[in-house]
Amino acid sequence: MDAINTTLTNAERIDRLRLIRSDNVGPRTYRSLVAHFGSARAALERLPELAKRGGAARQIRIGREDDARAEFAACERLGVSLLAPEETGYPPRLATIDDAPPLLGVRGARETLMRPIIAIVGSRNASAAGLKFAGQLARDLGEAGFVIISGLARGIDQSAHRASISSGTVAVLAGGHDQIYPPEHEDLLAAILDAGGAAISEMPPGHEPRARDFPKRNRLISGAALGVVVVEAAQRSGSLITARMANEQGREVFAVPGSPLDPRAAGTNDLIKQGATLVTEASDVIQMVAPIMERPLSLPLDEPDGDPFSAEPEDDERARIIGLLGPSPVSIDDLIRLADTSAAVVRTVLLELELAGRLERHGGGLVSLI
Amino acid sequence: MDAINTTLTNAERIDRLRLIRSDNVGPRTYRSLVAHFGSARAALERLPELAKRGGAARQIRIGREDDARAEFAACERLGVSLLAPEETGYPPRLATIDDAPPLLGVRGARETLMRPIIAIVGSRNASAAGLKFAGQLARDLGEAGFVIISGLARGIDQSAHRASISSGTVAVLAGGHDQIYPPEHEDLLAAILDAGGAAISEMPPGHEPRARDFPKRNRLISGAALGVVVVEAAQRSGSLITARMANEQGREVFAVPGSPLDPRAAGTNDLIKQGATLVTEASDVIQMVAPIMERPLSLPLDEPDGDPFSAEPEDDERARIIGLLGPSPVSIDDLIRLADTSAAVVRTVLLELELAGRLERHGGGLVSLI
């Protein structure tokens, strides 16, 4: 690993990798654990005990050091750096989302990921007009200095990447860096990397992308970007998931209009009805994101937390907190108020449940029982 | 004339017709004159003197009684009623605009003009998709109880009229009722009237429509409607004039989106960028106009005016007021404040100038020298 601006030792990187690859530890739980215990290493030590207290049916699998070292080595062989949010090459805007990957696999030119990024996404089975428009828009935004990010899919994604190869483009993968989907786009990815672009993934090498990985991947596309342009999307299509995530992340949503009689425009027309900015040319996008680029980035607030060692929940406290939870998301703040105990105790119980696979964290500080 | 709810005697109608057909008397001047002198008859008597004082180069032509009677008779032969804003059959919303025709030539079913109206307009050289969509929208809005108003032109207008013949549709003519444009749409108009629709025009029988009559006509389309839907419009097309007028009149503006690569959608996409509501189905329109239908209509305020006989401007007052005017529009209120004389004097001088063909009245109480 030759991070340009390393702030992690390799030992820390291995600890982080072990923690994020442990059962029931997603990016949000990861952040809570590190906030609670001070480091990935400290959290790893407490993991089995916490999960047991949360009522895990069986012992949860903790990321093993040798597995982490093997993943690390596989990444090195593929030319992939595992970067933490605070490191150069981790897209600065991506670092600000609630569920930013604690380690991001980055291949290619890291400096490209530090430039202002616009996402262009859309249907796989796009019309000729849609493909042409996506290419034109990507070219114009590229000339204006923006990096284009997309999902390396057929159709609109492909057009957007191709048209921005020379100006800088980033492919976001749903699988590991050695599991390109669709496989026939390996050449496209090679061309992107050759020209100074990049590819990113939060999945380990060898991970074949499954259906549920694509929506997760989409949050990285929108998260890394100033805004997302949707070019042609049928109703209930994947691009609309990216638009929804963009919206939740506070990113600008742009949509390209189309005839009401064209089902490929149903999704984009709907987005415009819901408040997305209508785009017919690059300047529509640039005008909207220019003021955003001026604003400083704000990192998500880490939950303020007490001394973890002072928060050993009593059994009755734990029962009371679990009793307040249900399948409908409630805010952690409300929970603390209602549980009649300390915030540290509530947070500890939530971590226990999470690690036991019994709690889901939503955006905006909401949690629910699974 | 068999007005359903006549409030005018035929003698009053003849006076009004004479006044509106006099030189330099448009709908706005007409309203000022009647507000100032109390009746069309009183205004007619003062017209020559006022125009002379306003500096008319030659004597202005006053509408002659025999001409008015001839127009009246020609209308009767064509089955056209000349209705005043306060009469049944004059579209209630049209009566609320600043420059509503003092007399409107109405042919066909007056009750249709009293129902809620939506305008559908668009390109003459529309695409097949545009024509189909216009028809579908007109049909759906018709089924929902709305009357469709349009300009009887080729393309979108034609489609919208045809699809709403059975539910009720209104053609707005740029020329007289016997001067149908385009001539091949005489059959369409006949079908509209046969099925209980209507045609309206502010022009006298025999008046052949010229280019400048179409934008004037367009204000009647938007003025009579709750809102205007623009289906396909190139940049700088006539439909955009209708949309601009709708906007000035406080009417809702709706636009149908299209591909950025289709020049016929450039105008409608621009309208959406400027704030028009995107329409892909009738419910988009209905949702927006439903609350407006609940509100009572407000007629434009007649300018409060003093006793006209007490307002005989002195020569130096007249000179001072003319000195304050120029080619840039100024508000009458500012003029009254700056002229250091009574409001009645200012208004009288403005009327004089207007009748002399030297003053232009704009919306919102603004005037400028020509």
Side-chain angles (χ1 to χ4, degrees):
Chain A
M1 303 285 290
D2 56 345
I4 293 166
N5 177 27
T6 310
T7 56
L8 294 188
T9 64
N10 277 0
E12 282 170 329
R13 222 177 288 273
I14 293 289
D15 287 343
R16 291 197 181 197
L17 197 52
R18 287 182 61 196
L19 185 55
I20 189 66
R21 298 294 182 230
S22 297
D23 277 358
N24 301 334
V25 179
R28 285 201 180 88
T29 314
Y30 179 99
R31 273 185 51 217
S32 305
L33 284 165
V34 172
H36 205 74
F37 295 109
S39 72
R41 161 63 50 110
L44 279 168
E45 280 163 12
R46 302 290 300 278
L47 228 46
E49 174 202 345
L50 285 168
K52 197 174 149 205
R53 280 199 260 146
R58 49 179 183 76
Q59 183 116 356
I60 66 165
R61 208 183 45 81
I62 309 290
R64 284 171 26 174
E65 186 170 336
D66 52 354
D67 288 344
R69 291 202 179 277
E71 180 175 342
F72 201 85
C75 284
E76 275 199 321
R77 280 193 300 276
L78 291 167
V80 171
S81 305
L82 285 170
L83 300 180
E86 58 270 36
E87 294 183 295
T88 298
Y90 196 109
R93 267 166 218 281
L94 184 56
T96 69
I97 71 172
D98 242 18
D99 50 357
L103 286 173
L104 184 70
V106 173
R107 195 174 159 203
R110 291 187 205 171
E111 56 278 20
T112 300
L113 293 159
M114 305 306 282
R115 288 169 47 201
I117 300 176
I118 300 288
I120 299 181
V121 300
S123 329
R124 285 187 300 274
N125 63 336
S127 71
L131 295 172
K132 185 178 167 191
F133 183 81
Q136 196 172 295
L137 184 69
R139 199 169 302 112
D140 291 347
L141 288 171
E143 274 170 21
F146 293 93
V147 170
I148 302 302
I149 199 166
S150 194
L152 203 72
R154 297 186 188 95
I156 298 295
D157 289 20
Q158 178 180 6
S159 259
H161 282 305
R162 262 195 209 295
S164 55
I165 284 180
S166 63
S167 51
T169 187
V170 175
V172 188
L173 311 175
H177 275 280
D178 52 357
Q179 302 287 327
I180 303 311
Y181 183 84
E184 67 267 31
H185 281 184
E186 279 178 17
D187 287 354
L188 175 57
L189 179 59
I192 289 171
L193 295 171
D194 277 353
I200 61 176
S201 168
E202 63 179 325
M203 295 301 181
H207 180 89
E208 225 178 295
R210 295 150 302 175
R212 64 167 188 196
D213 293 327
F214 290 91
K216 278 178 70 179
R217 182 275 310 266
N218 292 354
R219 85 185 197 286
L220 306 184
I221 296 179
S222 53
L226 285 151
V228 175
V229 184
V230 185
V231 185
E232 286 194 351
Q235 246 142 1
R236 279 178 294 279
S237 62
S239 307
L240 298 186
I241 297 177
T242 312
R244 183 166 54 73
M245 286 173 169
N247 207 32
E248 287 172 12
Q249 293 164 347
R251 303 293 182 263
E252 294 301 313
V253 179
F254 301 92
V256 179
S259 162
L261 300 180
D262 183 352
R264 284 175 291 210
T268 53
N269 285 340
D270 263 0
L271 286 174
I272 298 168
K273 284 187 195 174
Q274 288 157 32
T277 300
L278 185 150
V279 172
T280 59
E281 55 189 11
S283 67
D284 296 325
V285 177
I286 297 168
Q287 224 167 55
M288 203 77 178
V289 300
I292 302 167
M293 291 167 64
E294 305 289 316
R295 285 181 226 142
L297 286 182
S298 56
L299 288 168
L301 286 178
D302 275 319
E303 294 163 10
D305 215 338
D307 174 7
F309 298 102
S310 68
E312 288 295 338
E314 305 291 334
D315 285 349
D316 62 326
E317 287 177 318
R318 184 176 292 109
R320 197 158 63 240
I321 292 164
I322 293 173
L324 288 167
L325 286 163
S328 309
V330 292
S331 87
I332 298 175
D333 288 344
D334 284 348
L335 219 49
I336 292 170
R337 208 156 32 74
L338 295 166
D340 192 26
T341 174
S342 74
V345 164
V346 171
R347 288 180 201 287
T348 304
V349 172
L350 293 180
L351 271 178
E352 291 170 3
L353 291 170
E354 210 168 353
L355 291 170
R358 295 174 62 196
L359 190 89
E360 191 177 352
R361 282 190 195 260
H362 310 268
L366 300 176
V367 293
S368 66
L369 277 190
I370 291 166
Chain B
M1 304 284 290
D2 58 343
I4 294 165
N5 177 25
T6 310
T7 56
L8 293 189
T9 64
N10 276 0
E12 281 170 331
R13 222 178 289 274
I14 292 291
D15 286 342
R16 292 196 181 198
L17 197 52
R18 286 181 62 196
L19 184 55
I20 189 67
R21 297 294 181 231
S22 297
D23 276 358
N24 301 334
V25 179
R28 286 199 180 89
T29 314
Y30 179 100
R31 272 184 52 218
S32 305
L33 283 166
V34 171
H36 204 73
F37 295 109
S39 71
R41 160 62 51 109
L44 279 168
E45 279 164 11
R46 302 289 300 276
L47 228 48
E49 176 200 342
L50 286 168
K52 197 175 150 204
R53 280 200 259 146
R58 49 182 182 76
Q59 183 117 356
I60 66 164
R61 210 182 45 80
I62 310 291
R64 284 171 26 171
E65 187 169 335
D66 52 353
D67 287 344
R69 292 200 178 277
E71 180 176 342
F72 201 84
C75 284
E76 277 199 320
R77 280 192 301 274
L78 291 167
V80 171
S81 304
L82 285 170
L83 300 180
E86 58 270 34
E87 294 182 295
T88 298
Y90 196 110
R93 268 166 217 280
L94 184 57
T96 70
I97 71 172
D98 241 18
D99 50 356
L103 286 173
L104 184 70
V106 173
R107 195 174 159 202
R110 291 186 204 173
E111 57 278 18
T112 301
L113 292 160
M114 304 306 282
R115 289 169 48 201
I117 301 175
I118 300 286
I120 299 181
V121 299
S123 328
R124 285 187 299 274
N125 62 336
S127 71
L131 295 173
K132 185 178 167 190
F133 182 81
Q136 197 171 295
L137 184 69
R139 199 169 302 111
D140 292 348
L141 287 171
E143 274 169 22
F146 293 92
V147 169
I148 302 302
I149 199 166
S150 194
L152 203 70
R154 298 186 187 97
I156 299 295
D157 289 20
Q158 178 180 7
S159 260
H161 282 307
R162 262 195 208 296
S164 55
I165 283 181
S166 63
S167 52
T169 188
V170 175
V172 187
L173 311 176
H177 275 280
D178 53 356
Q179 302 287 327
I180 304 311
Y181 183 85
E184 67 267 31
H185 281 185
E186 278 179 19
D187 287 354
L188 174 57
L189 180 59
I192 289 171
L193 295 172
D194 276 353
I200 61 176
S201 168
E202 64 179 325
M203 294 302 180
H207 181 88
E208 225 177 297
R210 295 149 303 177
R212 66 169 187 194
D213 293 327
F214 289 91
K216 277 178 73 179
R217 182 276 309 268
N218 292 355
R219 87 184 196 286
L220 305 185
I221 296 179
S222 53
L226 286 151
V228 174
V229 184
V230 185
V231 186
E232 285 194 351
Q235 246 141 0
R236 279 177 295 277
S237 62
S239 308
L240 299 185
I241 297 176
T242 312
R244 183 165 55 73
M245 287 175 170
N247 207 32
E248 287 172 10
Q249 293 164 346
R251 303 295 183 263
E252 294 301 314
V253 179
F254 301 92
V256 179
S259 162
L261 300 181
D262 182 352
R264 282 174 292 210
T268 52
N269 286 340
D270 263 0
L271 285 174
I272 298 167
K273 284 188 195 175
Q274 289 157 31
T277 300
L278 185 150
V279 172
T280 59
E281 53 190 11
S283 66
D284 297 324
V285 176
I286 296 167
Q287 225 168 52
M288 203 75 180
V289 301
I292 302 168
M293 290 167 65
E294 305 290 316
R295 285 182 228 143
L297 285 182
S298 57
L299 289 168
L301 287 177
D302 276 319
E303 293 163 10
D305 214 338
D307 173 7
F309 298 102
S310 70
E312 287 296 337
E314 305 290 333
D315 286 349
D316 62 325
E317 287 177 317
R318 184 177 293 111
R320 196 157 63 241
I321 293 163
I322 295 174
L324 287 166
L325 286 163
S328 312
V330 292
S331 86
I332 297 175
D333 288 345
D334 284 348
L335 218 51
I336 291 169
R337 208 159 30 74
L338 294 166
D340 192 26
T341 175
S342 74
V345 164
V346 170
R347 287 179 203 287
T348 304
V349 171
L350 293 180
L351 271 179
E352 291 171 1
L353 290 169
E354 211 168 351
L355 291 170
R358 295 173 62 195
L359 190 90
E360 192 177 352
R361 281 186 197 263
H362 310 269
L366 299 176
V367 292
S368 66
L369 277 190
I370 290 167

